[in-house]
Amino acid sequence: MNVHVNSGETLRAALAGLLDGLPPRQAAAAVDRLIANYRGATPTDAPILRDRADVAAYAAYRMPATFGAVTAALDAFADTVPDWTPATHVDIGGGTGAATWAVSATWEGQRPVTVLDWAEPALALGREIAEGNPALRDARWQRTRIAAGLRVESADLVTVSYVLGELTEEVRTALVDAAASAAQAVVVVEPGTPDGYARVLAARERLVSAGFRIAAPCPHSGGCPIVPGSDWCHFSARVSRSSLHRQVKGGSLAYEDEKYAYVAATRFASDPAPARIVRKPQIRKGQVLLDLCEQDGQLARTTVTKRHGDLYKASRDANWGDAWPRTV
């Protein structure tokens, strides 16, 4: 956990100076416009981040949340492969590099890292920020068109975070297939919305079809038990808010909860959770209600009571997204 805290603090410190000289109203206006573009329903065939002002404003606003969500997803994945550490990492559509920071926070040490993105201003700023992270000082920031026909160099780990929503369905498919061809492990993270979950689910299906096994969050590699349109699988990461966050959102809280959906898949053996808590635990007098996705591919609600002893104590400390042992 200390690695996470230190990396997060280092990232926030690196981001703090990005907006020097940029009037707060201009930064807020840039963020508002960029958020509108990212939330739009029409995928783009050109980079959304156009210049350094765009990138600086959006990085200061969004990188901490992306880092928090990707770190949470990688934590859950790492728990299923405790003896594995990626020797190489490629981040597709990595922009300013939030996922590379998350990988370095999850697995200590240096490794060859390549960030692929089509927006040169984002890559340039990512390179600048990474100077503050020893694990990323030798990373390659490579301008690459994220399009059909994408080729990705072989790597132990390929991450794809917060990028599929910018692409057409054809390019999404090509990107996931390219990642599957190159990687031993693939982690895809998207916003925790119904649309984001649908993109993750589509990626999950292609990875399974390519011979991958699901390591997290699912305890199984079968079909998702959620009835399409009835619900969606997502989780939450608590993220400290910057002053720009508070200015743009008009909020006073020092934190916000970033909702995200993800899948981690491997070509090698992993030890998926016996079950995964897929909703916020409901704590009642003398009992805790847990909504679980289980190894048999089903959703189930279990009630843990005081008679379960230590398991009951553990349930009161359990969080949404945690692995969970089967009750007895």
Side-chain angles (χ1 to χ4, degrees):
M1 183 63 186
N2 287 338
V3 177
H4 296 165
V5 172
N6 291 340
S7 294
E9 290 177 349
T10 302
L11 177 59
R12 281 190 291 272
L15 293 172
L18 289 181
L19 302 180
D20 286 351
L22 187 63
R25 287 186 181 180
Q26 183 180 344
V31 169
D32 279 340
R33 177 178 59 77
L34 293 164
I35 289 173
N37 284 341
Y38 273 113
R39 289 177 178 169
T42 304
T44 178
D45 59 359
I48 292 173
L49 298 173
R50 302 175 307 195
D51 56 31
R52 194 184 192 286
D54 272 0
V55 177
Y58 201 71
Y61 180 77
R62 278 298 306 168
M63 263 189 92
T66 303
F67 169 81
V70 178
T71 299
L74 292 175
D75 271 350
F77 170 44
D79 285 344
T80 74
V81 288
D83 298 323
W84 180 80
T85 297
T88 52
H89 173 214
V90 173
D91 187 23
I92 304 177
T96 54
T100 66
W101 283 77
V103 169
S104 70
T106 305
W107 292 282
E108 293 187 80
Q110 289 186 286
R111 61 189 56 82
V113 177
T114 302
V115 182
L116 306 178
D117 201 274
W118 56 3
E120 182 57 38
L123 292 168
L125 194 70
R127 188 183 301 112
E128 177 185 330
I129 297 169
E131 287 298 316
N133 185 339
L136 299 178
R137 285 177 184 163
D138 295 326
R140 289 194 302 147
W141 302 80
Q142 182 175 322
R143 188 176 187 185
T144 302
R145 181 170 174 77
I146 309 300
L150 176 69
R151 295 289 183 268
V152 180
E153 64 188 56
S154 296
D156 280 358
L157 174 65
V158 171
T159 52
V160 183
S161 63
Y162 288 80
V163 68
L164 296 181
E166 301 175 33
L167 308 173
T168 64
E169 185 174 352
E170 176 188 7
V171 177
R172 287 176 207 155
T173 298
L175 187 157
V176 174
D177 289 349
S181 296
Q184 292 300 303
V186 177
V187 178
V188 177
V189 186
E190 282 286 298
T193 62
D195 286 346
Y197 160 71
R199 293 189 291 269
V200 167
L201 188 60
R204 180 188 189 276
E205 291 171 353
R206 292 201 72 82
L207 290 168
V208 170
S209 296
F212 282 75
R213 290 173 284 185
I214 303 303
C218 323
H220 59 87
S221 296
C224 178
I226 296 175
V227 177
S230 68
D231 203 351
W232 69 99
C233 184
H234 65 293
F235 304 95
S236 182
R238 181 147 291 185
V239 180
S240 296
R241 274 181 169 171
S242 67
S243 59
L244 183 58
H245 275 86
R246 293 192 289 271
Q247 181 182 349
V248 171
K249 290 197 170 182
S252 58
L253 291 177
Y255 63 87
E256 66 177 354
D257 293 321
E258 172 72 8
K259 305 298 194 301
Y260 65 97
Y262 77 100
V263 65
T266 68
R267 289 196 179 277
F268 51 86
S270 63
D271 186 18
R276 180 79 59 186
I277 301 172
V278 293
R279 289 290 176 271
K280 184 177 180 180
Q282 299 181 44
I283 299 178
R284 307 285 171 79
K285 186 175 181 180
Q287 61 182 20
V288 180
L289 308 182
L290 299 177
D291 290 304
L292 304 174
C293 182
E294 301 191 311
Q295 283 184 329
D296 61 4
Q298 301 298 312
L299 296 174
R301 171 169 286 186
T302 189
T303 301
V304 187
T305 66
K306 288 184 176 180
R307 68 181 176 84
H308 290 105
D310 289 343
L311 200 59
Y312 172 69
K313 294 177 183 177
S315 72
R316 292 184 62 85
D317 293 328
N319 292 311
W320 180 14
D322 284 354
W324 184 253
R326 291 189 183 276
T327 57
V328 294

